[in-house]
Amino acid sequence: IANGQISGRKLGSPLTDFGRQVLADGSWKDRDCYDNYRGVTKDNKPLRSSTFFIKEGNKLAGMLCVNIDGSRYFALSEALLELGGVSRESSETTSALGAFPSTPPGPTAQTAGTEVFYEDAEEVIESIIREFCEKFGATSASRLTQSEKVDIVRKLNEKRVFMIKGAVTQVAGKLGISVASLYRYLSMINREKSSGETSQA
C-alpha cells in the first residue's frame, strides 16, 4: 500500500464488497480492469477508483487498485465557477460551460458500483448494523426482532461479508445470537434465493 492515507486502507484491511463481487461473479475473466468508477472512504470522501486485474493464465493472481482524491480539483472548479459568476445550476444546464460534478462520475460498467473503503471487517459490519438500527429505531442490535436481524444478515450476505475470515462470529456477537442461529438464518436466506431463481427460470 502506497499513500494509504487517501483511501484509509492499511495492511490487513478486508477486501471491499466490490472486490468480493468481482471474485464471485467472475467478471475479471472477460476484462483487464474496471476504470474510473466511484469510490468512497469510510468518512464519505469521494474518490476516483480503478482496479486492474493481475492474471496468471486463467487464474486471478491479484488486483492492483488505484484511488485518486480529486477533491482539490472539484474545489478548484467550484472556485472558477464562482469567479465567473456562474452558479452550479446554470453550469449544468449550459452546454457551452459543461457540468462540474462535485463527485466523480459513476461506473463505466454495470458491475462496478460505488466502492466503499473500510479499514477492517468490523467497520463494514458495524456500518450496516448501525444503518438498520436507525431504520428500525432500535438503540442496539440486540433489541431488534428476529426478522429484522435476518434482514441485516441478508444485507451482509449480499455484500459477501461472510467471505471475510471471522465475520460469522463477529456478526453473531453484535446481533446477540448464537453462531448456530446465524448459520440457520443464512441457510434460510440461501433457500429463499434458490427458490426465487428457480421460479424465474
Side-chain angles (χ1 to χ4, degrees):
I1 295 180
N3 299 315
Q5 73 277 6
I6 293 176
S7 64
R9 304 274 284 169
K10 61 185 179 182
L11 290 176
S13 293
L15 192 64
T16 63
D17 54 348
F18 170 64
R20 293 191 295 275
Q21 178 183 339
V22 166
L23 287 177
D25 63 22
S27 58
W28 60 270
K29 297 176 182 177
D30 302 317
R31 58 190 306 139
D32 294 323
C33 68
Y34 280 107
D35 61 322
N36 291 322
Y37 59 87
R38 189 172 188 270
V40 180
T41 63
K42 66 174 184 177
D43 54 358
N44 211 34
K45 179 176 69 177
L47 301 175
R48 190 183 299 275
S49 302
S50 296
T51 296
F52 302 89
F53 303 126
I54 304 170
K55 304 178 185 180
E56 292 182 353
N58 61 352
K59 294 183 179 181
L60 182 64
M63 291 185 280
L64 174 63
C65 305
V66 180
N67 301 291
I68 301 172
D69 178 6
S71 57
R72 69 183 67 180
Y73 304 112
F74 300 131
L76 178 60
S77 71
E78 291 287 343
L80 289 172
L81 286 174
E82 185 176 347
L83 185 63
V86 181
S87 68
R88 172 181 293 282
E89 288 73 19
S90 62
S91 74
E92 291 178 345
T93 55
T94 306
S95 59
L97 291 175
F100 293 87
S102 59
T103 58
T108 55
Q110 289 183 346
T111 305
T114 298
E115 184 169 27
V116 183
F117 299 92
Y118 293 97
E119 289 185 19
D120 53 47
E122 188 170 4
E123 285 187 347
V124 183
I125 296 166
E126 286 185 347
S127 173
I128 292 175
I129 290 178
R130 183 167 56 250
E131 172 191 334
F132 273 81
C133 283
E134 292 173 356
K135 175 182 176 181
F136 296 125
T139 55
S140 69
S142 61
R143 293 181 176 273
L144 296 172
T145 65
Q146 179 177 326
S147 63
E148 290 167 348
K149 291 178 181 180
V150 170
D151 284 342
I152 291 177
V153 173
R154 183 178 290 108
K155 180 70 174 288
L156 290 168
N157 193 46
E158 289 172 358
K159 288 184 170 291
R160 298 176 174 83
V161 168
F162 297 110
M163 291 175 66
I164 302 173
K165 184 178 180 180
V168 169
T169 303
Q170 287 187 45
V171 173
K174 292 182 181 299
L175 293 181
I177 60 177
S178 67
V179 170
S181 293
L182 195 147
Y183 276 120
R184 190 170 63 253
Y185 293 172
L186 284 171
S187 179
M188 180 180 66
I189 291 167
N190 289 330
R191 284 199 304 272
E192 290 174 354
K193 184 178 179 181
S194 297
S195 176
E197 291 173 350
T198 301
S199 63
Q200 293 175 6

